Every structure is written in structure tokens, then in C-alpha cells.
Amino acid sequence: MTDPNIKVREHYSAAGLTDRIKTAVATIAPGSQPLTVAQLAPLDQFHTRGILATGELAAAARLDPSTRVLDLGCGLGGPARYLAETFGCKVTGIDLSPSFIDAATYLTARCGLSDRVTFQVGDALNPPFDDASFDVVFLQHVAMNVEDRTTLYAQVRRILAPGGRLAIYDLVLRDGDIVYPTPWARDASASFLLSESQTRTTLEEVGYKAVFWRDDTQVARDWFKTVMGAQPQSGLNLGLVMGPDFPIMTGNLARNLREKRLGVLSAVLTRD
Ligand SMILES: C[S@@+](CC[C@H](N)C(=O)[O-])C[C@H]1O[C@@H](n2cnc3c(N)ncnc32)[C@H](O)[C@@H]1O
């Protein structure tokens, strides 16, 4: 059987990533000096509006120190570290990309958070956890890489405890063809966007009820305008992860939002 994630794995494979990161962070924290979640945010919050969006979604998902959190498609682990540091909770992250998991584990140790934040390689379509293991599952800018949304949302529902919450932050299809390459796919073969209403219908059919649903498109457009007008960042940014084309990918994301081809959705849903 063909691996449904083959193109996605390829897109996010980043050979030698942890070594590149070690070199880059040495400029701000030489040797084994501790790093902070805030320092790493330009590098490790791999979604529109970065740490600002993570903070807003976390507030809507109502976390506290006892909340068992899973970050599905955790990337470099920035959101997981932010949640553990801000709310004092334990966070598990899984991701398809072994190089991202290796980097996430390294950065978490450098932030002194390894007792509360752990990572493993895993597929969101088959998460390696028992039923009802988590109170909150985060899914930020991941679903657009997953073709089988019904299985994705059903698997999340399986591992959520009764009363548990799914917190999503998604790019959604609006009108017209998407301009590639984008940060999540070089072309349409690894991109599985749904519209906002298709997303909601799929979630409801699987057994979720929305308790928070917000269109963040305009705020994302405004954010890109500010970011793109700003001075170039230091070496600690997602170009280090995704390569020299990353500014083109980000530029296309901003263009797709501006030209109303894409929207941005934040939501929290409970499993019934
Ligand atoms: C745009 S990044 C977002 C990373 C992280 N959620 C964040 O916001 O910083 C998308 C991530 O989803 C992961 N991903 C895509 N499909 C996945 C799947 N089926 N299972 C696990 N991870 C997946 C990718 O490897 C990548 O790390």
C-alpha cells in the first residue's frame, strides 16, 4: 500500500537540522546556557502569527496545570514548550518528521522543560496512544497536510477523554487556485485544504461540537503586512528549517490570504 504521507514527509525532511540549530542558537546562548521559549519563537512556532496565535488558542482551550495536552504535528515543539511553560501542564508532541522531533527534543532540554514536554515520531492518522489519554489536543497548521480528515478527527476523538477539547488553527480554502510553493507544500500533491464549512461539517459528522469558532483571516493579513515590512530577522528563523525558498513560500501564503484564496480559522471543539 502507498504511504499517504510520502510527499508530506519529503516536504518536512530537514537533514542535519539539529546541528544547524545548535550553531544558530550559540549566537544567543553560548555553550549550555539556557534558552527561553520567547527567544525561540521566530524559529519554532511554525504557523501564521506564531506565538501570538498559540497564546490565543491556548486561552480559548482553557488549560490548567492538570490538563494532559497532546500537540499533534508538533513541528519543532515551540507550541508544546509554550503551553507547558505558561500553564504548567504536561505536553506530549508527535510529528511525522524525525528531524523535527530530534530538534524539538534538543530545544526542550535547552529550555529546561524536558520533565514536562516529551516528543516522539508518530502519525496523526494512527496516534500511538490509548483511548481517552488526553484532555486537550492541539492541531495547528497540520490538517492541510492530511487528506483523510475523517480518520484524523476520529483518531483525535478516540484519544480525547470525555469532555476533552480539540483546539484547531487551520488554513482553509476560499476562492481560486492556491499559489505554490507554500510553507506546507511545494505543490498541490501534498496539500489537502478544505473550506471552512467542509471543515465544520467533517468535524460535526465525527462527533464534535464547536464551543469557539473564529475567522482570523483579517488579523493574519494585517500580521503579514507588518512582518513583511519589517527588517530581516536574525539567523534564528524558519528559513533555517525549510531552506532558502522559505521567503518565497511565506510570500505566497501572504498572497493567498490577501487575494482571498485562503482563510484562517481558529476553533475549539468538545467531543460529545
Ligand atoms: C506547518 S508545520 C506546523 C508545526 C506545529 N504544529 C507548529 O504550529 O509549530 C506542519 C507539521 O505537521 C506535521 N505533519 C503533517 N502531517 C502529519 C501527520 N500525518 N502526522 C504527524 N505530523 C504531521 C509535519 O511534519 C509538520 O511538522
Side-chain angles (χ1 to χ4, degrees), residues 88-100:
C89 52
K90 288 208 162 146
V91 187
T92 305
I94 72 167
D95 199 282
L96 271 186
S97 165
S99 43
F100 284 12

Side-chain angles (χ1 to χ4, degrees), residues 5 8 12 44-47 71-76 79 94-97 100 122-125 140-142 144-146 183-184:
N5 296 316
V8 178
Y12 294 109
D44 66 10
Q45 299 274 340
F46 195 167
H47 51 259
D71 190 9
L72 211 49
C74 61
L76 304 179
I94 72 167
D95 199 282
L96 271 186
S97 165
F100 284 12
D123 184 354
L125 289 169
Q140 288 188 290
H141 279 40
V142 177
M144 69 269 194
N145 282 131
V146 180
W184 71 94

Side-chain angles (χ1 to χ4, degrees), residues 175-215:
D175 222 8
D177 293 336
I178 300 302
V179 181
Y180 293 98
T182 59
W184 71 94
R186 292 219 147 255
D187 55 45
S189 66
S191 181
F192 306 103
L193 295 155
L194 296 183
S195 69
E196 184 176 338
S197 69
Q198 287 169 326
T199 304
R200 188 154 186 157
T201 304
T202 310
L203 285 160
E204 287 174 354
E205 282 171 358
V206 170
Y208 292 93
K209 206 171 109 203
V211 290
F212 169 77
W213 193 271
R214 190 174 75 188
D215 180 348

Side-chain angles (χ1 to χ4, degrees), residues 65-189:
S66 69
T67 313
R68 296 165 298 169
V69 182
L70 174 66
D71 190 9
L72 211 49
C74 61
L76 304 179
R81 285 185 289 277
Y82 170 87
L83 299 176
E85 182 184 69
T86 308
F87 298 96
C89 52
K90 288 208 162 146
V91 187
T92 305
I94 72 167
D95 199 282
L96 271 186
S97 165
S99 43
F100 284 12
I101 290 297
D102 191 58
T105 304
Y106 169 74
L107 290 170
T108 300
R110 289 291 305 269
C111 290
L113 287 167
S114 304
D115 56 334
R116 272 184 282 150
V117 187
T118 52
F119 299 98
Q120 56 184 286
V121 175
D123 184 354
L125 289 169
N126 187 19
F129 304 108
D130 292 338
D131 296 0
S133 300
F134 296 98
D135 304 304
V136 169
V137 173
F138 264 70
L139 198 61
Q140 288 188 290
H141 279 40
V142 177
M144 69 269 194
N145 282 131
V146 180
E147 185 170 15
D148 185 352
R149 290 291 181 95
T150 300
T151 299
L152 172 69
Y153 296 141
Q155 281 293 323
V156 172
R157 190 172 181 279
R158 177 185 71 72
I159 58 181
L160 272 177
R165 301 174 294 289
L166 165 61
I168 64 173
Y169 185 53
D170 269 346
L171 296 170
V172 289
L173 263 187
R174 287 268 165 92
D175 222 8
D177 293 336
I178 300 302
V179 181
Y180 293 98
T182 59
W184 71 94
R186 292 219 147 255
D187 55 45
S189 66

